Amino acid sequence: MLVEFLFELRARKLPVSTHEWMALMEGMALGLHESSLDGFYHLCRTLCVKDIAHYDAYDDAFLAYFKDIHQDALKLTEELRAWLANPRALDGLTDEQRRAMQALDLDKLRALFEQRLKEQRGRHDGGNRWIGTGGTSPFGTGGANPSAMRVGGGGGRSAMQVADERRFREYRRDVVLDVRQIDVALRGLRRLGRDGAEDELDLDETVDQTCKNAGEIEVVFRPPRRNRVKVILLMDVGGSMDPHAELMSRLFTAASRAGRFAKFRSYYFHNCVYSAVYEDAQFRKAVPVAELLAHSDRDEKLVLVGDALMHPAELLDPGGAAFFSSQNRASGHEWLRRLAAHFRSAVWCNPEPERFWAGTTIEVIASVFAMWPLTLDGLAQAVRYLVRGGERPRVGDPERWMKSMVG
Amino acid sequence: MSDVFDQFQGTASYIASEELRHAVNVAVALARPLLVRGEPGTGKTLLAENLASALQLPLIRWHVKSTTKAKDGLYVYDTVARLHDSRFGGEGGGDVRDIARYIKLGPLGEALAAPSRVVLLIDEIDKADLEFPNDLLHELDAMRFRIDETGREVAAVERPIVIITSNNEKELPDAFLRRCVFHYIQFPTRELMSEIVRVHHPDITDKVLDNALEVFFGLRATPRLRKKPSTSELIDWICALNKAGVDLGKISGGIPFLGTLLKTEQDVELLGKRAKA
């Protein structure tokens, strides 16, 4: 039965291995799950989910898999019925509380409980209240009702309730990021090499040379290791990018941090790259793209950031950039292709959520540049692609789309 | 419950949530390393200290730095000392030919060579190089290693309890994660937090505690704060309030000793702007 839960987890892209599953079985054989669903929830999460970003998906899978089992088990457990007949909470009550308690006698309470049980099935479909919640419900753990009945294991909150809260949603990988997270993601973008001044003591070599020198100390220096990666960042600003301005500034802050790359340059463009890019976001200092290409190694990493959303004519027609340049004989599409052809590795990060990509100019641009969404996951994949290459993600069917546009 | 389980219940000075206690006990029962993550200041490092004192086992610490190599944790062959001895003669006239004299066990090596069970803390494992955790895989799995220079095999008599902490600075390799029991320390709820503060300041009154927590959680809820104040900062802050004899209930405008709670200029500035608005 539980194996299906494993596949439920894996279906949600949780990387649970056989190794971990065996550990879970071992743990259950030792009784670490305390023979309860709550215990199992924590045991399984502790052993199989190793990343806070996956907790939410785990909660989701747990809810989907156990929601019915939970109720069936509750219904069938004779132990629970015996327990209901003998509520522990009677001890240590004031007279006033006892009177309140009697107002709701045991039979009534049991009837209410069973009724609530039925409602609970409807909760997932309809939205009623859980047994097992705290607060003032007469049933559950840690509640404030004087005649409360405790249902479920000792002291903690029920797993279903914990799972149902989806507390870990904010830790998901596919949300947009803050500076620190971008920083961490960009750390992958490095290729270390030694060059520059020799100012680091090479201990191994020193020992070697000293030994060869019959014990006469011979000190050897070497240059320290530095990141050799050079990056050019092209950012779309203004217009449809305004909602993403905050995110862009975070990305810029993280990327431009001193000493991160051997060489870091950034330029701005509006909508699409045409014959020139700009050194400032006010578009005053133009740098012709031809010049940019002439001054860039093919090994430099090109990162474009923009929503890639525009009117098709702005991308596909020559002179589409009516706003800036007068003599624009090539289309934006053509300029993008020239950029892509020059650099060995280039990516486009798109702050627009992926679900809006289909059927827009994004598809066309994604066929020129490898494109990922500007999320923690997307950025990490983009960085991996820049360093190691690999498969480009396929977005929609740009050819068909372009034909329908032109035709 | 069996006596192998539920060994750890927190200590007098360390309040652990139910979930954390469970994770610790699972790790102890399965004899696997426990990987603890969470915001800075949620007591990841303290966990190991308190686990050791609760189980009355010696604690061995290994603070990982950006330059730490996995091998350093096992042992270091001090070639320079040997060279020095060979040239100038060591104090006490050591035998330079005996290499074993120059092998110094690192924290992991010490934990494995210990005559009885110990708690080993590998603190901030993500500070080291990306490959660092991978280099430890075999040693943590088999709990044994070999000193190449002398051919000596060191194997643990009893598998140590290994607590590993991480601040989420780097992704840890999958192969490493697979072997660990994982727990993410959630930021304490208000109830748990008041329990924690009471442990550190037993004579605090309800009113003072309430006021302090009000300010603290209000501060944490401020949007766009670069670094939210943490548990340890709250405790320091209350300590400062106590020492200065400040009554929070009577103070209007401005938080006293803000420097103990907020650590960046931007945050202090941001809070100033909000107070004015």
Short mmCIF file of all heavy atoms in Angstrom, two decimals, chain A residues 47-89:
data_model
loop_
_atom_site.label_atom_id
_atom_site.label_comp_id
_atom_site.label_asym_id
_atom_site.label_seq_id
_atom_site.Cartn_x
_atom_site.Cartn_y
_atom_site.Cartn_z
N LEU A 47 12.93 11.56 6.59
CA LEU A 47 13.82 10.63 5.90
C LEU A 47 13.83 10.82 4.39
O LEU A 47 14.81 10.53 3.74
CB LEU A 47 13.44 9.19 6.23
CG LEU A 47 13.76 8.75 7.65
CD1 LEU A 47 13.17 7.39 7.92
CD2 LEU A 47 15.25 8.74 7.90
N CYS A 48 12.72 11.26 3.83
CA CYS A 48 12.62 11.26 2.37
C CYS A 48 12.69 12.65 1.74
O CYS A 48 12.95 12.76 0.55
CB CYS A 48 11.32 10.60 1.93
SG CYS A 48 11.24 8.89 2.44
N VAL A 49 12.43 13.68 2.48
CA VAL A 49 12.41 15.02 1.89
C VAL A 49 13.56 15.81 2.48
O VAL A 49 13.56 16.08 3.67
CB VAL A 49 11.07 15.72 2.16
CG1 VAL A 49 10.97 16.98 1.33
CG2 VAL A 49 9.93 14.79 1.85
N LYS A 50 14.52 16.18 1.65
CA LYS A 50 15.73 16.77 2.18
C LYS A 50 15.85 18.26 1.84
O LYS A 50 16.90 18.83 1.94
CB LYS A 50 16.96 16.03 1.63
CG LYS A 50 16.95 14.55 1.91
CD LYS A 50 16.99 14.27 3.40
CE LYS A 50 16.64 12.85 3.75
NZ LYS A 50 17.59 11.87 3.27
N ASP A 51 14.78 18.84 1.40
CA ASP A 51 14.86 20.23 0.99
C ASP A 51 13.56 20.91 1.36
O ASP A 51 12.48 20.42 1.04
CB ASP A 51 15.09 20.29 -0.52
CG ASP A 51 15.51 21.67 -0.95
OD1 ASP A 51 15.13 22.64 -0.25
OD2 ASP A 51 16.22 21.77 -1.95
N ILE A 52 13.70 22.04 2.05
CA ILE A 52 12.53 22.77 2.48
C ILE A 52 11.66 23.17 1.29
O ILE A 52 10.44 23.30 1.39
CB ILE A 52 12.96 24.01 3.30
CG1 ILE A 52 11.77 24.78 3.86
CG2 ILE A 52 13.85 24.92 2.54
CD1 ILE A 52 11.26 24.24 5.12
N ALA A 53 12.29 23.33 0.13
CA ALA A 53 11.53 23.71 -1.06
C ALA A 53 10.56 22.62 -1.48
O ALA A 53 9.59 22.86 -2.19
CB ALA A 53 12.49 24.03 -2.21
N HIS A 54 10.82 21.38 -1.03
CA HIS A 54 9.95 20.28 -1.41
C HIS A 54 8.85 20.00 -0.39
O HIS A 54 8.00 19.15 -0.60
CB HIS A 54 10.77 19.00 -1.61
CG HIS A 54 11.69 19.08 -2.78
ND1 HIS A 54 12.94 18.53 -2.77
CD2 HIS A 54 11.56 19.68 -3.97
CE1 HIS A 54 13.54 18.77 -3.92
NE2 HIS A 54 12.72 19.48 -4.66
N TYR A 55 8.91 20.67 0.76
CA TYR A 55 7.94 20.38 1.81
C TYR A 55 6.50 20.58 1.33
O TYR A 55 5.62 19.82 1.68
CB TYR A 55 8.20 21.28 3.04
CG TYR A 55 9.19 20.73 4.02
CD1 TYR A 55 10.13 19.79 3.63
CD2 TYR A 55 9.20 21.15 5.34
CE1 TYR A 55 11.06 19.29 4.53
CE2 TYR A 55 10.13 20.65 6.25
CZ TYR A 55 11.05 19.73 5.84
OH TYR A 55 11.96 19.23 6.73
N ASP A 56 6.30 21.62 0.56
CA ASP A 56 4.94 21.92 0.13
C ASP A 56 4.40 20.80 -0.76
O ASP A 56 3.27 20.35 -0.58
CB ASP A 56 4.90 23.25 -0.61
CG ASP A 56 3.47 23.69 -0.86
OD1 ASP A 56 2.69 23.67 0.11
OD2 ASP A 56 3.14 24.01 -2.00
N ALA A 57 5.22 20.35 -1.68
CA ALA A 57 4.80 19.26 -2.56
C ALA A 57 4.52 18.00 -1.73
O ALA A 57 3.60 17.23 -2.02
CB ALA A 57 5.87 18.99 -3.60
N TYR A 58 5.32 17.82 -0.68
CA TYR A 58 5.12 16.66 0.20
C TYR A 58 3.76 16.76 0.89
O TYR A 58 3.00 15.78 0.93
CB TYR A 58 6.25 16.60 1.23
CG TYR A 58 6.07 15.53 2.28
CD1 TYR A 58 6.32 14.19 1.97
CD2 TYR A 58 5.64 15.85 3.56
CE1 TYR A 58 6.15 13.21 2.92
CE2 TYR A 58 5.47 14.87 4.51
CZ TYR A 58 5.72 13.55 4.19
OH TYR A 58 5.55 12.57 5.13
N ASP A 59 3.47 17.92 1.44
CA ASP A 59 2.18 18.13 2.09
C ASP A 59 1.04 17.82 1.13
O ASP A 59 0.06 17.17 1.47
CB ASP A 59 2.05 19.59 2.56
CG ASP A 59 2.84 19.84 3.84
OD1 ASP A 59 3.37 18.86 4.39
OD2 ASP A 59 2.92 21.00 4.27
N ASP A 60 1.22 18.30 -0.09
CA ASP A 60 0.22 18.11 -1.12
C ASP A 60 -0.02 16.62 -1.38
O ASP A 60 -1.15 16.14 -1.40
CB ASP A 60 0.73 18.81 -2.39
CG ASP A 60 -0.38 19.03 -3.39
OD1 ASP A 60 -1.53 19.15 -2.94
OD2 ASP A 60 -0.08 19.07 -4.59
N ALA A 61 1.09 15.89 -1.56
CA ALA A 61 0.99 14.46 -1.83
C ALA A 61 0.36 13.74 -0.65
O ALA A 61 -0.48 12.85 -0.81
CB ALA A 61 2.38 13.89 -2.10
N PHE A 62 0.77 14.14 0.54
CA PHE A 62 0.26 13.50 1.75
C PHE A 62 -1.25 13.68 1.85
O PHE A 62 -1.99 12.73 2.12
CB PHE A 62 0.95 14.12 2.96
CG PHE A 62 0.70 13.40 4.25
CD1 PHE A 62 1.47 12.31 4.60
CD2 PHE A 62 -0.33 13.79 5.09
CE1 PHE A 62 1.24 11.63 5.77
CE2 PHE A 62 -0.57 13.11 6.27
CZ PHE A 62 0.21 12.03 6.61
N LEU A 63 -1.69 14.89 1.60
CA LEU A 63 -3.14 15.18 1.64
C LEU A 63 -3.88 14.32 0.64
O LEU A 63 -4.90 13.71 0.94
CB LEU A 63 -3.38 16.65 1.31
CG LEU A 63 -3.29 17.62 2.47
CD1 LEU A 63 -3.56 19.02 1.96
CD2 LEU A 63 -4.31 17.25 3.53
N ALA A 64 -3.34 14.29 -0.58
CA ALA A 64 -4.03 13.57 -1.65
C ALA A 64 -4.12 12.09 -1.32
O ALA A 64 -5.15 11.45 -1.55
CB ALA A 64 -3.28 13.79 -2.96
N TYR A 65 -3.04 11.56 -0.75
CA TYR A 65 -3.00 10.12 -0.56
C TYR A 65 -3.74 9.67 0.69
O TYR A 65 -4.39 8.63 0.69
CB TYR A 65 -1.54 9.65 -0.49
CG TYR A 65 -1.42 8.16 -0.48
CD1 TYR A 65 -1.56 7.44 -1.67
CD2 TYR A 65 -1.17 7.46 0.68
CE1 TYR A 65 -1.48 6.07 -1.68
CE2 TYR A 65 -1.08 6.08 0.68
CZ TYR A 65 -1.24 5.39 -0.50
OH TYR A 65 -1.15 4.04 -0.52
N PHE A 66 -3.67 10.45 1.74
CA PHE A 66 -4.18 9.97 3.02
C PHE A 66 -5.53 10.53 3.44
O PHE A 66 -6.04 10.19 4.48
CB PHE A 66 -3.17 10.25 4.13
CG PHE A 66 -2.00 9.31 4.09
CD1 PHE A 66 -0.76 9.74 3.69
CD2 PHE A 66 -2.17 7.98 4.44
CE1 PHE A 66 0.32 8.87 3.65
CE2 PHE A 66 -1.10 7.10 4.41
CZ PHE A 66 0.14 7.54 4.01
N LYS A 67 -6.11 11.40 2.63
CA LYS A 67 -7.31 12.07 3.16
C LYS A 67 -8.43 11.06 3.45
O LYS A 67 -9.11 11.18 4.46
CB LYS A 67 -7.79 13.17 2.22
CG LYS A 67 -8.26 12.68 0.88
CD LYS A 67 -8.89 13.80 0.08
CE LYS A 67 -9.34 13.26 -1.25
NZ LYS A 67 -9.79 14.27 -2.16
N ASP A 68 -8.59 10.07 2.59
CA ASP A 68 -9.67 9.11 2.82
C ASP A 68 -9.29 8.10 3.89
O ASP A 68 -10.08 7.77 4.76
CB ASP A 68 -10.02 8.39 1.53
CG ASP A 68 -10.64 9.38 0.56
OD1 ASP A 68 -11.28 10.33 1.04
OD2 ASP A 68 -10.44 9.22 -0.65
N ILE A 69 -8.05 7.64 3.80
CA ILE A 69 -7.58 6.65 4.76
C ILE A 69 -7.72 7.17 6.18
O ILE A 69 -8.15 6.47 7.08
CB ILE A 69 -6.10 6.31 4.46
CG1 ILE A 69 -6.06 5.43 3.23
CG2 ILE A 69 -5.46 5.64 5.65
CD1 ILE A 69 -4.70 5.10 2.76
N HIS A 70 -7.42 8.42 6.34
CA HIS A 70 -7.47 9.03 7.65
C HIS A 70 -8.85 8.85 8.27
O HIS A 70 -9.02 8.42 9.38
CB HIS A 70 -7.12 10.51 7.54
CG HIS A 70 -6.95 11.17 8.88
ND1 HIS A 70 -7.39 12.43 9.13
CD2 HIS A 70 -6.40 10.73 10.02
CE1 HIS A 70 -7.13 12.74 10.38
NE2 HIS A 70 -6.52 11.73 10.94
N GLN A 71 -9.87 9.16 7.48
CA GLN A 71 -11.23 9.08 8.01
C GLN A 71 -11.67 7.64 8.23
O GLN A 71 -12.29 7.33 9.23
CB GLN A 71 -12.20 9.79 7.07
CG GLN A 71 -12.07 11.28 7.23
CD GLN A 71 -12.43 12.02 6.00
OE1 GLN A 71 -13.11 11.46 5.14
NE2 GLN A 71 -11.99 13.24 5.89
N ASP A 72 -11.35 6.79 7.27
CA ASP A 72 -11.72 5.39 7.44
C ASP A 72 -11.14 4.83 8.72
O ASP A 72 -11.81 4.17 9.50
CB ASP A 72 -11.22 4.55 6.24
CG ASP A 72 -12.00 4.93 4.99
OD1 ASP A 72 -13.01 5.66 5.14
OD2 ASP A 72 -11.59 4.52 3.91
N ALA A 73 -9.85 5.18 8.93
CA ALA A 73 -9.19 4.67 10.13
C ALA A 73 -9.88 5.19 11.38
O ALA A 73 -10.12 4.44 12.32
CB ALA A 73 -7.72 5.08 10.12
N LEU A 74 -10.23 6.46 11.35
CA LEU A 74 -10.91 7.05 12.50
C LEU A 74 -12.23 6.33 12.78
O LEU A 74 -12.58 6.04 13.91
CB LEU A 74 -11.21 8.52 12.24
CG LEU A 74 -10.13 9.51 12.66
CD1 LEU A 74 -10.58 10.91 12.33
CD2 LEU A 74 -9.86 9.39 14.14
N LYS A 75 -12.95 6.04 11.70
CA LYS A 75 -14.24 5.41 11.84
C LYS A 75 -14.11 4.02 12.44
O LYS A 75 -14.92 3.60 13.26
CB LYS A 75 -14.89 5.28 10.47
CG LYS A 75 -15.88 6.38 10.18
CD LYS A 75 -16.58 6.03 8.90
CE LYS A 75 -17.73 6.95 8.63
NZ LYS A 75 -18.24 6.76 7.28
N LEU A 76 -13.10 3.30 11.97
CA LEU A 76 -13.01 1.89 12.32
C LEU A 76 -12.41 1.64 13.69
O LEU A 76 -12.60 0.60 14.28
CB LEU A 76 -12.18 1.16 11.25
CG LEU A 76 -12.88 1.10 9.89
CD1 LEU A 76 -11.94 0.52 8.85
CD2 LEU A 76 -14.15 0.29 9.98
N THR A 77 -11.67 2.60 14.20
CA THR A 77 -10.93 2.32 15.42
C THR A 77 -11.84 2.20 16.63
O THR A 77 -12.43 3.18 17.09
CB THR A 77 -9.88 3.41 15.66
OG1 THR A 77 -9.12 3.56 14.48
CG2 THR A 77 -8.97 3.04 16.80
N GLU A 78 -11.92 0.98 17.12
CA GLU A 78 -12.73 0.75 18.32
C GLU A 78 -12.12 1.49 19.51
O GLU A 78 -12.81 2.03 20.37
CB GLU A 78 -12.78 -0.74 18.64
CG GLU A 78 -13.89 -1.47 17.91
CD GLU A 78 -15.26 -0.83 18.17
OE1 GLU A 78 -15.60 -0.57 19.33
OE2 GLU A 78 -15.97 -0.58 17.17
N GLU A 79 -10.81 1.53 19.49
CA GLU A 79 -10.07 2.18 20.55
C GLU A 79 -10.55 3.61 20.75
O GLU A 79 -10.69 4.10 21.86
CB GLU A 79 -8.59 2.19 20.17
CG GLU A 79 -7.65 2.49 21.29
CD GLU A 79 -6.24 2.67 20.77
OE1 GLU A 79 -6.00 2.35 19.59
OE2 GLU A 79 -5.39 3.13 21.54
N LEU A 80 -10.81 4.22 19.62
CA LEU A 80 -11.24 5.61 19.68
C LEU A 80 -12.59 5.72 20.37
O LEU A 80 -12.83 6.62 21.18
CB LEU A 80 -11.33 6.17 18.25
CG LEU A 80 -11.66 7.65 18.17
CD1 LEU A 80 -10.46 8.50 18.57
CD2 LEU A 80 -12.11 8.02 16.77
N ARG A 81 -13.46 4.76 20.08
CA ARG A 81 -14.78 4.78 20.72
C ARG A 81 -14.66 4.61 22.23
O ARG A 81 -15.30 5.31 23.00
CB ARG A 81 -15.65 3.65 20.15
CG ARG A 81 -16.12 3.95 18.75
CD ARG A 81 -16.90 2.77 18.18
NE ARG A 81 -17.39 3.11 16.87
CZ ARG A 81 -18.47 3.83 16.65
NH1 ARG A 81 -19.18 4.28 17.67
NH2 ARG A 81 -18.86 4.11 15.43
N ALA A 82 -13.80 3.68 22.61
CA ALA A 82 -13.58 3.46 24.04
C ALA A 82 -13.05 4.74 24.69
O ALA A 82 -13.44 5.11 25.80
CB ALA A 82 -12.58 2.33 24.23
N TRP A 83 -12.20 5.39 23.96
CA TRP A 83 -11.58 6.60 24.43
C TRP A 83 -12.62 7.71 24.59
O TRP A 83 -12.62 8.47 25.56
CB TRP A 83 -10.53 7.00 23.40
CG TRP A 83 -9.53 7.97 23.88
CD1 TRP A 83 -9.41 8.48 25.12
CD2 TRP A 83 -8.49 8.54 23.11
NE1 TRP A 83 -8.37 9.35 25.18
CE2 TRP A 83 -7.78 9.40 23.95
CE3 TRP A 83 -8.08 8.41 21.77
CZ2 TRP A 83 -6.70 10.13 23.51
CZ3 TRP A 83 -7.01 9.13 21.34
CH2 TRP A 83 -6.31 9.98 22.21
N LEU A 84 -13.51 7.76 23.62
CA LEU A 84 -14.55 8.79 23.67
C LEU A 84 -15.43 8.62 24.90
O LEU A 84 -15.91 9.59 25.48
CB LEU A 84 -15.42 8.71 22.41
CG LEU A 84 -14.81 9.30 21.14
CD1 LEU A 84 -15.73 9.05 19.96
CD2 LEU A 84 -14.58 10.79 21.32
N ALA A 85 -15.63 7.36 25.31
CA ALA A 85 -16.47 7.10 26.47
C ALA A 85 -15.78 7.54 27.76
O ALA A 85 -16.41 7.63 28.81
CB ALA A 85 -16.82 5.63 26.54
N ASN A 86 -14.51 7.81 27.69
CA ASN A 86 -13.75 8.09 28.89
C ASN A 86 -12.80 9.28 28.67
O ASN A 86 -11.61 9.12 28.65
CB ASN A 86 -12.94 6.83 29.25
CG ASN A 86 -12.20 7.01 30.55
OD1 ASN A 86 -12.54 7.87 31.36
ND2 ASN A 86 -11.16 6.23 30.73
N PRO A 87 -13.36 10.45 28.49
CA PRO A 87 -12.50 11.58 28.14
C PRO A 87 -11.61 11.99 29.29
O PRO A 87 -12.05 12.11 30.43
CB PRO A 87 -13.49 12.70 27.78
CG PRO A 87 -14.81 12.27 28.30
CD PRO A 87 -14.76 10.82 28.62
N ARG A 88 -10.35 12.20 28.96
CA ARG A 88 -9.36 12.53 29.96
C ARG A 88 -9.53 13.94 30.50
O ARG A 88 -9.16 14.25 31.60
CB ARG A 88 -7.97 12.43 29.33
CG ARG A 88 -7.19 11.22 29.79
CD ARG A 88 -5.77 11.39 29.31
NE ARG A 88 -5.50 10.42 28.26
CZ ARG A 88 -4.48 10.55 27.42
NH1 ARG A 88 -3.71 11.59 27.47
NH2 ARG A 88 -4.26 9.63 26.52
N ALA A 89 -10.08 14.78 29.67
CA ALA A 89 -10.10 16.21 29.97
C ALA A 89 -10.94 16.55 31.19
O ALA A 89 -11.01 17.70 31.61
CB ALA A 89 -10.61 16.99 28.77
#
